[in-house]
Amino acid sequence: KRVPSAGRLPRTADQCGGWCICAGPAALMARKRDGGCCPLPLNEDNARFCLLAGLILLYLLCGAAVFSALERPSELRARLLWDQQLANFTLSHRVSLGALHTLLRQYEEANGAGIRVDALRPRWDFSGAFYFVGTVVSTIGFGMNTPATIPGKIFLIFYGLIGCAATILFFNLFLERIITMLAYIMRWCHERRMRRSGLGAVSGAEEPRSEEDSLEGWKPSVYYVMLILGVASVLIACSASSLYCSMEDWSYMDSLYFCFVAFSTIGFGDLVSSQREHYEAQEAYRLGNCLFILMGVCCIYSLFNVISIIIKQTLNWILARLRGLRRPPPARLRQQRFKRNAVQPTPSQVPTGRHRYTDASVETVCDSETDAGAGVDGVAGGRRLSGEMISVNDFTASNKVSLALLQKQLCETAQQGPRQSHVPRHNGFSGGVGAFAIMNNRLQETSVDR
């Protein structure tokens, strides 16, 4: 292996991606003069994570400032009014303030067990327990009733562990079905347009394909999916709010607020639907309430996942802009790009002093560029200059593995065998778990063959 020259580092800023953690300004300037980089490179994934963490922290600080300015005066007024009411009650009924506080603490304990001043539905009959487990597995957790016994709390831990995981998987598969449905619609519209134009016979003569192959080229845009999910969420929330206004006697704004809190699985618990003891058309209302919450949670959860894809694209754009501002591409790299794929005549003999490149690696001719630490003769560690002439034997020796992989892919394609892509994914969305793994290669913006 080639040893770097004295005073230079083996890695450059371009090779580590331009994101570095340096010891200090002096070390950074010294390394910039040497053309090297710091020993702790920050790759693109870590840079994206740190940028997202910083933006979330800034978002939290801004939200805290806004809510403090909006809600703090109301809290102070409510506390002052409550103190006045306590003082008036103790004077008018000649009750000590300590005894009144004791009674209020006992009521808070009863309230935690589900006891209210107004008559409410039973908490732990079968219908109430079913409503409770629905809020558990959907991670809403309104908090209007909680298990009070030790066995109930222990059972809740294991029950919620499996139920929440299964429900999150259901939400992810729901999003996958939405994307697949959009792909079917896009393909159907295209085929209908082709039949109207007189090209239906050509498409009908094709051999039957599997479902995955038939939808291979039909990948909806993430913005279309976000628009459809957003419209569906608004329609469901508006319809549910109309129902809650008539059945719960809430204002329309409170009903919309409850819909977002419930559908997004925040579940504050200040407003909870279907808690009274009696309703008009009670069974139909409870069924409609469950259906609205189920559809709303599915749409909002899917919408959050799609928005997270857009946020990740925005982070990639910010990182690309910052990388361009930090270090523009050197003139040497720009010159090498023009020299790529240059075809030149082959010499009959190899000049004296040059080593024949016989390393059978996967590296292609396009990757054999000028090394930064090459010697005077232009060869270092078996690498050729981009302008150097290459023989057929050298080309064959340096591309044995690539040619073998190409032959395998051609053979599998001819036999309609499994098609595997050996191209690395550099779009920032490869791999992942949950919704990222499901949406990968199903949307235009997250597809590897864009």
Side-chain angles (χ1 to χ4, degrees):
K1 296 183 178 179
R2 178 174 55 87
V3 179
S5 59
R8 294 179 62 87
L9 292 176
R11 291 175 62 88
T12 63
D14 294 329
Q15 290 173 335
C16 69
W19 301 100
C20 307
I21 303 176
C22 297
L28 176 61
M29 296 302 296
R31 295 183 186 278
K32 282 187 176 181
R33 287 195 305 267
D34 295 337
C37 182
C38 61
L40 295 177
L42 185 63
N43 57 22
E44 186 176 356
D45 293 334
N46 294 332
R48 188 188 303 112
F49 173 79
C50 294
L51 178 60
L52 180 59
L55 291 178
I56 290 178
L57 179 60
L58 180 62
Y59 193 76
L60 294 176
L61 294 176
C62 294
V66 172
F67 281 111
S68 178
L70 294 176
E71 301 296 335
R72 180 61 176 172
S74 177
E75 179 189 10
L76 296 177
R77 289 194 300 268
R79 185 180 297 275
L80 180 60
L81 179 61
W82 176 247
D83 292 338
Q84 293 177 356
Q85 290 177 348
L86 284 180
N88 294 333
F89 185 85
T90 54
L91 290 177
S92 61
H93 294 81
R94 296 181 180 181
V95 180
S96 65
L97 187 60
L100 183 58
H101 284 167
T102 302
L103 179 62
L104 292 176
R105 291 190 187 96
Q106 293 175 355
Y107 174 73
E108 289 178 355
E109 294 178 359
N111 192 14
I115 306 300
R116 301 293 188 273
V117 176
D118 299 328
L120 298 178
R121 61 181 291 182
R123 288 290 186 266
W124 294 109
D125 61 349
F126 185 79
S127 61
F130 187 81
Y131 191 85
F132 168 74
V133 296
T135 61
V136 170
V137 299
S138 62
T139 69
I140 296 177
F142 286 124
M144 72 282 184
N145 57 331
T146 56
T149 61
I150 298 298
K153 294 178 180 179
I154 295 176
F155 178 74
L156 176 64
I157 295 175
F158 296 98
Y159 184 83
L161 182 65
I162 300 176
C164 292
T167 307
I168 291 176
L169 176 62
F170 172 79
F171 293 155
N172 290 331
L173 295 180
F174 173 82
L175 177 58
E176 183 184 12
R177 293 300 93 196
I178 292 293
I179 298 174
T180 305
M181 181 187 67
L182 293 178
Y184 271 117
I185 294 175
M186 292 172 58
R187 189 190 65 178
W188 178 79
C189 294
H190 176 75
E191 291 177 352
R192 183 180 180 183
R193 186 168 58 251
M194 294 292 289
R195 285 194 298 267
R196 287 185 175 181
S197 62
L199 300 178
V202 178
S203 59
E206 295 179 356
E207 297 180 358
R209 297 172 296 178
S210 63
E211 178 181 355
E212 182 179 357
D213 292 338
S214 63
L215 298 178
E216 181 67 24
W218 307 102
K219 298 172 183 177
S221 173
V222 65
Y223 300 101
Y224 292 155
V225 178
M226 182 183 66
L227 178 62
I228 292 174
L229 290 174
V231 172
S233 301
V234 170
L235 291 178
I236 294 173
C238 292
S239 302
S241 298
S242 301
L243 177 64
Y244 296 141
C245 283
S246 60
M247 302 298 294
E248 301 288 349
D249 295 332
W250 296 339
S251 65
Y252 196 78
M253 188 62 213
D254 288 341
S255 300
L256 286 175
Y257 162 77
F258 166 76
C259 288
F260 176 78
V261 170
F263 296 169
S264 60
T265 69
I266 297 175
F268 288 128
D270 51 347
L271 294 176
V272 182
S273 61
S274 185
Q275 295 302 303
R276 295 181 185 176
E277 190 175 6
H278 296 289
Y279 289 96
E280 296 181 3
Q282 179 170 307
E283 300 301 329
Y285 170 63
R286 289 181 177 178
L287 178 61
N289 177 51
C290 293
L291 291 179
F292 274 127
I293 291 180
L294 176 61
M295 293 186 297
V297 169
C298 289
C299 291
I300 292 293
Y301 179 86
S302 302
L303 183 62
F304 285 166
N305 284 315
V306 174
I307 292 176
S308 66
I309 295 292
I310 298 177
I311 292 176
K312 195 170 184 181
Q313 287 183 336
T314 305
L315 294 176
N316 292 337
W317 178 81
I318 294 175
L319 292 177
R321 297 286 294 179
L322 293 178
R323 186 183 297 111
L325 293 176
R326 283 172 57 91
R327 189 181 183 89
R332 174 178 57 83
L333 294 180
R334 290 196 298 266
Q335 293 177 359
Q336 290 178 2
R337 291 169 185 169
F338 290 109
K339 293 181 179 180
R340 290 194 177 197
N341 302 324
V343 180
Q344 296 186 7
T346 306
S348 57
Q349 296 180 354
V350 179
T352 305
R354 293 187 182 272
H355 302 280
R356 183 178 297 274
Y357 184 72
T358 58
D359 184 15
S361 63
V362 189
E363 183 182 359
T364 60
V365 179
C366 298
D367 293 330
S368 300
E369 297 180 356
T370 306
D371 199 350
V376 179
D377 57 354
V379 178
R383 297 182 63 88
R384 292 180 175 273
L385 293 172
S386 60
E388 183 181 350
M389 294 174 288
I390 181 171
S391 63
V392 177
N393 294 331
D394 291 340
F395 176 79
T396 305
S398 62
N399 290 275
K400 285 182 179 179
V401 181
S402 297
L403 292 176
L405 292 177
L406 181 59
Q407 292 175 356
K408 181 180 178 181
Q409 292 178 2
L410 292 176
C411 181
E412 290 179 352
T413 303
Q415 299 176 358
Q416 296 181 354
R419 297 176 298 177
Q420 300 179 355
S421 175
H422 299 276
V423 182
R425 301 178 178 179
H426 298 289
N427 54 6
F429 299 95
S430 58
V433 295
F436 275 164
I438 289 178
M439 289 188 293
N440 186 37
N441 207 25
R442 287 183 176 269
L443 298 174
Q444 287 183 2
E445 287 76 11
T446 60
S447 176
V448 298
D449 56 355
R450 289 185 64 217

Coordinates of all heavy atoms in Angstrom, one line a residue, residues 131-141 163-164 167-168 171 262-266 293-294 297:
Y131 N -63.3 0.0 24.8 CA -62.9 1.3 24.4 C -61.5 1.6 25.0 O -60.7 2.3 24.4 CB -63.9 2.3 24.9 CG -63.7 3.7 24.4 CD1 -64.3 4.1 23.2 CD2 -63.1 4.7 25.2 CE1 -64.1 5.4 22.8 CE2 -62.9 6.0 24.7 CZ -63.4 6.3 23.5 OH -63.3 7.6 23.1
F132 N -61.3 1.1 26.2 CA -60.0 1.3 26.9 C -58.8 0.6 26.1 O -57.8 1.2 25.9 CB -60.0 0.8 28.3 CG -58.7 0.7 29.0 CD1 -58.0 1.9 29.4 CD2 -58.1 -0.5 29.2 CE1 -56.8 1.8 30.0 CE2 -56.9 -0.6 29.8 CZ -56.2 0.6 30.2
V133 N -59.0 -0.7 25.7 CA -57.9 -1.4 25.1 C -57.7 -0.8 23.7 O -56.6 -0.8 23.1 CB -58.2 -2.9 25.0 CG1 -58.3 -3.5 26.3 CG2 -59.5 -3.1 24.2
G134 N -58.8 -0.2 23.1 CA -58.6 0.5 21.8 C -57.7 1.7 21.9 O -56.8 1.9 21.1
T135 N -57.8 2.4 23.0 CA -56.9 3.6 23.2 C -55.5 3.1 23.6 O -54.6 3.9 23.4 CB -57.5 4.5 24.4 OG1 -57.6 3.7 25.6 CG2 -58.9 5.0 24.0
V136 N -55.4 1.9 24.1 CA -54.0 1.4 24.5 C -53.3 1.0 23.3 O -52.1 1.5 23.0 CB -54.2 0.3 25.5 CG1 -52.8 -0.4 25.7 CG2 -54.7 0.8 26.8
V137 N -53.8 0.2 22.4 CA -53.1 -0.4 21.3 C -52.9 0.7 20.2 O -51.9 0.6 19.5 CB -53.8 -1.6 20.7 CG1 -53.9 -2.7 21.7 CG2 -55.2 -1.2 20.2
S138 N -53.7 1.7 20.2 CA -53.6 2.8 19.2 C -52.7 3.9 19.7 O -52.4 4.9 19.0 CB -54.9 3.4 18.8 OG -55.5 3.9 20.0
T139 N -52.2 3.7 21.0 CA -51.2 4.7 21.6 C -51.9 6.0 21.9 O -51.2 7.0 22.0 CB -49.9 4.8 20.9 OG1 -50.2 5.5 19.6 CG2 -49.3 3.5 20.6
I140 N -53.2 6.1 21.9 CA -53.9 7.4 22.2 C -53.8 7.7 23.6 O -53.3 8.7 24.1 CB -55.4 7.3 21.7 CG1 -55.4 7.2 20.2 CG2 -56.1 8.6 22.1 CD1 -56.8 7.1 19.6
G141 N -54.3 6.7 24.5 CA -54.2 6.9 25.9 C -54.8 8.2 26.5 O -54.2 9.1 27.0
G163 N -49.7 -5.4 21.5 CA -50.8 -4.7 20.8 C -50.3 -3.5 20.1 O -50.7 -3.2 19.0
C164 N -49.4 -2.7 20.7 CA -48.9 -1.4 20.1 C -48.1 -1.8 18.9 O -48.2 -1.1 17.8 CB -48.1 -0.6 21.1 SG -49.1 0.1 22.4
T167 N -50.4 -2.9 16.1 CA -51.1 -1.8 15.5 C -50.3 -0.9 14.7 O -50.7 -0.4 13.6 CB -51.8 -1.0 16.6 OG1 -52.5 -1.9 17.5 CG2 -52.7 0.1 16.1
I168 N -49.0 -0.7 15.1 CA -48.1 0.2 14.2 C -47.8 -0.6 12.9 O -47.8 0.1 11.9 CB -46.8 0.4 15.0 CG1 -47.1 1.4 16.2 CG2 -45.8 1.0 14.1 CD1 -45.9 1.6 17.1
F171 N -50.8 0.1 10.7 CA -50.8 1.4 10.1 C -49.8 1.5 9.0 O -50.1 2.1 7.9 CB -50.4 2.5 11.2 CG -51.4 2.6 12.3 CD1 -51.0 3.1 13.5 CD2 -52.7 2.3 12.0 CE1 -52.0 3.3 14.5 CE2 -53.7 2.5 13.0 CZ -53.3 3.0 14.3
A262 N -57.0 13.2 19.0 CA -57.2 11.7 19.0 C -56.6 11.1 17.8 O -56.0 10.0 17.9 CB -58.7 11.5 19.0
F263 N -56.7 11.7 16.6 CA -56.2 11.0 15.4 C -54.7 11.0 15.4 O -54.1 10.0 14.9 CB -56.7 11.8 14.2 CG -58.2 11.7 14.0 CD1 -58.9 12.5 13.1 CD2 -59.0 10.9 14.8 CE1 -60.2 12.5 12.9 CE2 -60.4 10.8 14.6 CZ -61.0 11.6 13.7
S264 N -54.1 12.0 16.0 CA -52.6 12.0 16.0 C -52.1 11.2 17.2 O -50.8 11.2 17.4 CB -52.1 13.4 16.1 OG -52.6 14.1 17.3
T265 N -52.9 10.5 18.0 CA -52.6 9.7 19.1 C -51.9 10.5 20.2 O -51.1 9.9 21.0 CB -51.7 8.5 18.7 OG1 -50.4 8.9 18.3 CG2 -52.3 7.7 17.6
I266 N -52.1 11.8 20.3 CA -51.6 12.6 21.4 C -52.4 12.3 22.7 O -51.8 12.0 23.7 CB -51.7 14.1 21.1 CG1 -50.7 14.4 19.9 CG2 -51.2 14.9 22.3 CD1 -50.8 15.8 19.4
I293 N -62.5 7.3 14.6 CA -61.2 7.3 15.3 C -60.2 6.4 14.5 O -59.1 6.7 14.3 CB -61.3 6.9 16.7 CG1 -62.0 8.0 17.5 CG2 -59.9 6.7 17.3 CD1 -62.2 7.8 19.0
L294 N -60.7 5.2 14.1 CA -59.9 4.2 13.4 C -59.4 4.8 12.1 O -58.2 4.8 11.8 CB -60.6 2.9 13.2 CG -59.9 1.9 12.4 CD1 -58.6 1.4 13.1 CD2 -60.8 0.6 12.1
V297 N -57.0 7.9 12.7 CA -55.7 7.5 13.1 C -54.8 6.9 12.0 O -53.6 7.2 11.8 CB -55.8 6.5 14.3 CG1 -54.4 5.9 14.6 CG2 -56.3 7.2 15.5

